[in-house]
Amino acid sequence: MTTTSQSPQATTALSLQQQFLCMFAQGFRTGPFGPHYTEVFAWRVQGHVDVEAMRAALADVVERHEALRTVVRLEDGGAQSVLPAVQPELELVDLEEPPGADRDRRAEQLMIQAETRSFPADRVPLLRAVLGRFDEQDSVLVLCAHHSAADVWSIQVILRDLAQCYTARAAGEEPRLPEVAQYRDYVVAQQEEAGGAAVAASRAYWRETLEGARILVAPVHPTGQSPATSYHRFATDADLGAQVSRLAKETRSSPFMVLLAAFAVFVNRRTGATDLVVPTFTPGREHRFQSTVGSFFNFTPLRVDLEGCRTFRDVVARTRKACVGAFSHELPLLHILAEAPELMSSAGPDAVPTLFQAVQPPYLTQGERIGDLEYTAIWRRVIPQPLGSDTPDGMIWSMHLSDSEVVGGLSFSRHLFEQAEVGDQAAGFLEVIGDMLAGPDAAL
């Protein structure tokens, strides 16, 4: 396998996305470079898994993607160094189950177990795997990566490459994958483009769009618990998911835009605010880096003004306009803050940012056969977690969209928000969604 960057121990500067993470860094003991800032995804695997071939394929992936063997240095402005490949861990778990047990639920429990393990960011490789086996033909493959090295999109890239490498190794062959750009190639491209016309035009857009804006925050209610991130999860019925998709089609929007519009109404009803700046996460990838593993995601503010909206359909139209403008001018947050330096001033010890995102990663395998194995992504997660992957202090609403339903989750700082309060907010949001979809042309 070949890569575009040949030196085995290259050192380069941090990307703007990594510099953003450094804003919240607290060494390697906590925060975005701490041992609980992880990205975890899983697949049901049908077919007999050759364990040794899987181990070899994991090593191939770490060799192929430098980000999985890169250590970040936080001092002196920060830098990153690519290290030689090391064999990643593959943990084997026998998934014993009582008669009539729910295998989907047991698979989700395995994901939670993998997610709660400590994962140091200052040691390579930054990828490991768990293979849970119900029987010889039904397994669960869990991939865990440190989030400073891989985002949601990257995990899907890793699975694709892993499946191809596994197929070759199981057949006794050397994997032959096409050349891939590396994350440090992206850093160089980002530096070269920083002073270009495209970045200048996007910075001008944000300077005008965010004039006088302040990020959406939630007031905190300290609980006395130790700092950590908890997860509250919920699922809608199939009919509501279908209604979201139908209204999105009618309004030439996306399901995310419809859900974000409902969230804007929800916040308005709770606070009375009409000028809302709701941050979300966007992929941050150009086409040439779509097969690159790394931390590309951007923290993107979406400014939705509800003033003058008479119906929910009006809110959807206003939200669509905000999303189209923001997505077509996507930039790393540090560029945006240079044009809107007061944007984050609403956040502080007593109020922390609230984000809203829809998780629809690319390459989401659903019953796809690669070689002798069939992979189906596990995206439906409904088990609440007292402890999960760390996020910076605040609250993140995550909507996972399918053709049949909407599965939601709130990650929140358990030392700043009570579990019951978060549950009440989720219930209130679902009530607003139901009301809005039932009468999108009714008066707000």
Side-chain angles (χ1 to χ4, degrees):
M1 280 181 287
T2 58
T3 61
T4 58
S5 299
Q6 299 298 321
S7 174
Q9 294 193 4
T11 298
T12 189
L14 300 181
S15 68
L16 291 174
Q17 286 86 346
Q18 291 170 317
Q19 292 176 45
F20 165 65
L21 293 180
C22 287
M23 293 171 60
F24 307 96
Q26 301 174 51
F28 292 103
R29 300 186 63 181
T30 188
F33 296 97
H36 297 289
Y37 188 60
T38 55
E39 190 64 62
V40 176
F41 219 89
W43 294 260
R44 288 291 286 275
V45 181
Q46 300 298 318
H48 174 71
V49 178
D50 181 328
V51 173
E52 292 311 309
M54 186 62 73
R55 289 190 199 279
L58 283 164
D60 291 329
V61 169
V62 170
E63 175 67 34
R64 175 173 171 78
H65 294 288
E66 291 181 353
L68 300 176
R69 46 191 175 91
T70 296
V71 171
V72 170
R73 187 177 72 243
L74 298 176
E75 65 275 8
D76 301 325
Q80 53 189 327
S81 298
V82 180
L83 303 180
V86 178
Q87 173 69 49
E89 174 188 343
L90 174 61
E91 179 185 2
L92 303 179
V93 178
D94 288 328
L95 297 175
E96 298 178 356
E97 51 180 336
D102 184 342
R103 288 191 172 189
D104 290 343
R105 185 173 182 84
R106 183 67 186 91
E108 187 177 349
Q109 290 171 340
L110 184 67
M111 295 177 68
I112 292 173
Q113 292 166 8
E115 186 176 331
T116 53
R117 281 187 58 196
S118 177
F119 200 152
D122 55 351
R123 280 179 271 166
V124 297
L126 298 177
L127 174 72
R128 65 188 179 203
V130 179
L131 182 66
R133 294 178 288 192
F134 291 112
D135 54 49
E136 282 296 308
Q137 297 296 317
D138 187 3
S139 303
V140 180
L141 176 64
V142 184
L143 294 180
C144 313
H146 200 278
H147 203 359
S148 64
D151 50 23
V152 176
W153 187 307
S154 295
I155 294 291
Q156 312 308 314
V157 172
I158 291 170
L159 183 277
R160 286 278 172 160
D161 288 354
L162 178 65
Q164 296 291 344
C165 291
Y166 170 84
T167 299
R169 293 295 183 184
E173 300 174 356
E174 189 78 16
R176 292 192 176 105
L177 276 65
E179 187 173 291
V180 63
Q182 298 297 336
Y183 190 68
R184 57 194 170 101
D185 299 327
Y186 168 70
V187 174
V188 172
Q190 187 179 70
Q191 293 171 337
E192 291 174 346
E193 295 166 0
V199 170
S202 291
R203 288 180 64 142
Y205 165 84
W206 288 111
R207 182 168 60 250
E208 179 180 348
T209 299
L210 296 178
E211 184 178 1
R214 299 293 184 274
I215 209 78
L216 177 66
V217 296
V220 305
H221 302 102
T223 65
Q225 295 193 69
S226 58
T229 301
S230 297
Y231 287 74
H232 173 84
R233 294 190 168 103
F234 57 88
T236 70
D237 57 46
D239 184 59
L240 189 142
Q243 287 179 299
V244 169
S245 297
R246 185 163 53 249
L247 185 59
K249 185 175 181 179
E250 289 176 6
T251 56
R252 296 175 59 246
S253 303
S254 67
F256 167 72
M257 294 173 187
V258 172
L259 291 169
L260 177 60
F263 183 71
V265 174
F266 168 70
V267 173
N268 170 258
R269 289 184 175 180
R270 285 176 61 88
T271 67
T274 57
D275 183 8
L276 304 175
V277 183
V278 184
T280 194
F281 293 120
T282 47
R285 291 173 182 260
E286 301 174 41
H287 178 75
R288 57 180 160 156
F289 295 111
Q290 289 198 4
S291 296
T292 302
V293 170
S295 181
F296 287 85
F297 69 91
N298 288 320
F299 180 97
T300 301
L302 304 173
R303 189 174 195 176
V304 181
D305 186 1
L306 304 187
E307 191 68 40
C309 290
R310 296 178 299 168
T311 69
F312 183 59
R313 201 177 292 270
D314 292 340
V315 179
V316 173
R318 200 72 63 84
T319 303
R320 180 184 184 277
K321 181 179 179 182
C323 289
V324 170
F327 297 160
S328 60
H329 295 90
E330 183 184 359
L331 285 178
L333 182 64
L334 294 187
H335 278 315
I336 294 174
L337 291 180
E339 304 301 331
E342 298 300 315
L343 179 66
M344 303 298 294
S345 63
S346 52
D350 300 321
V352 292
T354 299
L355 293 88
F356 189 92
Q357 66 173 343
V359 181
Q360 292 176 293
Y363 318 127
L364 195 61
T365 50
Q366 291 294 320
E368 183 171 351
R369 181 164 291 276
I370 304 175
D372 293 333
L373 301 180
E374 181 179 285
Y375 301 82
T376 298
I378 300 174
W379 60 269
R380 191 181 192 276
R381 299 187 65 179
V382 294
I383 301 177
Q385 285 180 244
L387 292 174
S389 176
D390 272 351
T391 60
D393 284 352
M395 183 181 295
I396 301 177
W397 295 70
S398 299
M399 302 294 120
H400 300 249
L401 313 176
S402 78
D403 294 335
S404 59
E405 64 179 343
V406 178
V407 177
L410 279 81
S411 60
F412 62 96
S413 303
R414 70 173 189 178
H415 53 295
L416 302 179
F417 300 98
E418 294 283 358
Q419 171 70 48
E421 173 191 4
V422 173
D424 288 344
Q425 287 199 40
F429 177 51
L430 288 176
E431 184 177 350
V432 168
I433 293 175
D435 289 347
M436 296 299 99
L437 294 174
D441 297 304
L444 288 175

